[in-house]
């Protein structure tokens, strides 16, 4: 701080130097990743709200509790940063998730804290993730509940039957569909295993705008196949009555 004392200054007329203090400010950075692969995700949107009345050292209320102070969109690098904010406690709310993922409805708190008189701008960073939309098909034998691998299904969007994709159950009898966009999908068995009755049911699932599946975080469809069975009944040719005994060769 520089100032000049000019000739003629006396104690009865002191020189007054006015020097205002600037408020320390802060920024909040959000890193958004895939909950499984940890790869960066783009496209998520957040609101930052004041978790309390934001008050500066001169006791001025700068922001009322609950006020939205910034709205952010995550870039291709999975990062987004707020504008300058007064120090205090803030809440982060996800208002739009990346495509193919479930909306994170958790409220996160972040504090912007004073460091020292030589730091005019402080930073706080938070790492957040989203889980992909997920639908699991579980294929079992009806009687024993034995997992059935190698069963093939088709799935397609209900509004676009021309684009059908095939999926096949793994060794544990399951197959998983992930990162589906909102909409209604159809799933149908198209090839079963030898010795089992073909299940032709068309099952519908709906991915909601928030990424949930029929209202749940993960959709599960349990599909059973009955074993093929052959029943032999021996009857008297004239009376039609059942006859006990007899041997057959297949």
């Amino acid at each position: 701080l520089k100032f000049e004392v000019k000739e003629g200054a006396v104690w009865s007329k002191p020189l007054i130097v006015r020097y205002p203090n600037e408020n320390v400010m802060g920024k909040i950075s959000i890193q958004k990743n895939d909950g499984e692969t940890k790869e960066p995700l783009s496209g998520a949107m957040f609101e930052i709200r004041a978790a309390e009345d934001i008050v500066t050292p001169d006791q001025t209320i700068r922001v009322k509790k609950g006020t939205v102070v910034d709205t952010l969109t995550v870039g291709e690098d999975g990062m987004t940063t707020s504008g300058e904010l007064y120090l205090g406690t803030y809440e982060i709310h996800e208002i739009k998730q990346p495509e193919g993922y479930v909306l994170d409805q958790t409220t996160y708190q972040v504090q912007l804290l004073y460091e020292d008189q030589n730091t005019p701008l402080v930073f706080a960073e938070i790492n957040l993730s989203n889980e992909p939309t997920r639908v699991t098909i579980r294929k079992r034998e009806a009687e024993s509940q034995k997992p059935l691998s190698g069963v093939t299904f088709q799935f397609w969007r209900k509004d676009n039957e021309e684009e059908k994709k095939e999926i096949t159950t793994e060794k544990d009898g399951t197959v998983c569909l992930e990162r589906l966009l909102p909409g209604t999908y159809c799933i149908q068995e198209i090839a079963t295993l030898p010795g089992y009755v073909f299940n032709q049911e068309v099952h519908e699932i709906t991915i909601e705008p928030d990424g949930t599946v029929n209202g749940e975080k993960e959709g599960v469809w349990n599909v059973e196949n009955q074993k093929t069975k052959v029943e032999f009944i021996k009857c008297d040719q004239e009376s039609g009555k059942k006859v006990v005994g007899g041997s057959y060769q297949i």
Side-chain angles (χ1 to χ4, degrees), residues 43-178:
M45 294 183 64
F46 295 92
E47 281 184 349
I48 299 179
R49 303 175 189 170
E52 59 187 3
D53 286 346
I54 304 299
V55 182
T56 47
D58 62 1
Q59 300 307 302
T60 300
I61 298 177
R62 302 291 181 171
V63 183
K64 287 284 190 180
K65 180 180 178 180
T67 301
V68 176
V69 296
D70 209 344
T71 301
L72 309 176
T73 300
V74 177
E76 293 296 327
D77 60 353
M79 288 287 297
T80 185
T81 301
S82 72
E84 292 189 2
L85 305 172
Y86 291 101
L87 302 190
T89 303
Y90 294 88
E91 292 178 343
I92 297 176
H93 301 262
E94 185 169 278
I95 57 175
K96 180 179 178 295
Q97 77 276 21
E99 290 187 343
Y101 291 82
V102 181
L103 182 72
D104 184 358
Q105 300 190 33
T106 305
T107 297
Y108 299 93
Q109 282 200 349
V110 176
Q111 285 186 308
L112 292 173
L113 301 174
Y114 178 82
E115 292 185 7
D116 56 56
Q117 64 180 6
N118 298 315
T119 307
L121 186 63
V122 299
F123 293 88
E125 183 174 330
I126 183 170
N127 293 300
L128 303 178
S129 62
N130 288 89
E131 295 300 319
T133 57
R134 183 179 291 109
V135 176
T136 301
I137 302 171
R138 294 175 179 168
K139 192 65 169 173
R140 298 286 186 271
E141 182 183 290
E143 295 178 355
S144 67
Q145 293 300 298
K146 169 188 172 183
L148 298 178
S149 64
V151 179
T152 304
F153 293 83
Q154 272 188 344
F155 79 96
W156 64 93
R157 283 185 67 99
K158 191 175 181 179
D159 59 2
N160 185 11
E161 294 191 17
E162 294 182 0
E163 294 186 13
K164 295 184 177 181
K165 297 181 180 179
E166 293 187 5
I167 50 177
T168 303
T169 55
E170 304 290 342
K171 289 183 179 181
D172 62 355
T174 67
V175 61
C176 190
L177 303 173
E178 290 187 334

